[in-house]
Amino acid sequence: MRRSLFLTVFGLALSCPGLAAAQQYEIDLSRIDPAAVMATGGDVLRRASTPAVDDLFQAVLHASRQPDEARALCALFEPDATRDLAAFQRTVDRLGPASRNRFANAFTNVAVSGLQGTPQPFDAAAAQQVLRQAAVTATLLHDGFMLGMTASGTDDASRQARCRSFRQMVDVLKDQPQPQRVLATRWLLNEGLTLVADGQPAS
């Protein structure tokens, strides 16, 4: 399964561990130190609580249901997308007030529980199996799902197909029991950190 669609949006989430300073309806990504994020993000993620990680998934789910917000999120998934802090800031700025507030709260919960908690049990193989099963379900429910997930073109039709498949995948994952949904989300977050790191300019 092509993962670039789903990973970057979760990478956006873990790019912001210092969100205790986030204001309601406002996420100022310009205050984030990318080097510090890359050094601590994985550990924060491993320690973040199950409810906190699920709150983050729910924030993505709600945003994906709004066409304009979904397009903003999907812009980060494009093969030619810039994935630096400025791009993340532009994405957040395009979200509605409710979504920005939801993301701010979710980021804060992940950061606080990740900094204060203990490492959570995690099985990468089981997480990938949850995602494979979700992809199978989405394929059965939605014509063109796999075409969208594997589309690599930069034309408008390919962009729309990728975004549509992203929304369908998120919608399928919402019906998973929370432990499985969080397991898959935690794996996607971890993978997303790599994409965020790759998007930073070389020092």
Side-chain angles (χ1 to χ4, degrees):
M1 171 177 30
R2 189 174 184 275
R3 299 196 308 267
S4 63
L5 281 182
F6 206 37
L7 303 187
T8 306
V9 65
F10 289 115
L12 164 63
L14 259 290
S15 72
C16 311
L19 287 170
Q23 302 297 316
Q24 187 175 24
Y25 303 127
E26 179 177 322
I27 303 172
D28 186 359
L29 298 181
S30 66
R31 301 176 186 176
I32 305 302
D33 178 356
V37 171
M38 293 304 108
T40 62
D43 188 57
V44 168
L45 173 58
R46 284 188 292 271
R47 295 170 181 270
S49 70
T50 291
V53 174
D54 199 41
D55 283 347
L56 190 49
F57 173 84
Q58 298 300 328
V60 173
L61 172 64
H62 284 279
S64 74
R65 289 172 166 173
Q66 306 300 319
D68 289 344
E69 295 187 3
R71 283 192 292 271
L73 296 177
C74 289
L76 288 172
F77 314 150
E78 295 302 325
D80 55 352
T82 300
R83 284 181 283 267
D84 57 15
L85 293 181
F88 296 149
Q89 181 68 71
R90 289 192 297 271
T91 296
V92 171
D93 287 345
R94 291 175 62 187
L95 301 179
S99 286
R100 276 182 278 168
N101 186 50
R102 194 175 286 113
F103 271 107
N105 289 335
F107 293 162
T108 302
N109 290 339
V110 168
V112 171
S113 66
L115 290 170
Q116 298 178 350
T118 58
Q120 302 292 306
F122 179 70
D123 185 333
Q128 292 176 62
Q129 181 61 26
V130 171
L131 289 167
R132 283 193 292 268
Q133 291 173 345
V136 170
T137 300
T139 300
L140 295 173
L141 292 175
H142 303 289
D143 290 339
F145 170 78
M146 287 307 298
L147 288 176
M149 289 295 283
T150 57
S152 58
T154 56
D155 57 286
D156 188 59
S158 294
R159 294 178 193 276
Q160 290 186 33
R162 283 191 292 268
C163 194
R164 185 166 52 250
S165 292
F166 155 70
R167 298 174 73 181
Q168 292 165 348
M169 183 69 159
V170 171
D171 193 61
V172 168
L173 282 172
K174 82 176 190 309
D175 295 325
Q176 294 288 322
Q178 188 190 61
Q180 284 76 18
R181 183 171 65 238
V182 168
L183 187 65
T185 302
R186 208 181 290 273
W187 185 84
L188 290 166
L189 281 163
N190 189 63
E191 290 292 300
L193 284 173
T194 301
L195 290 181
V196 176
D198 288 346
Q200 303 303 323
S203 57

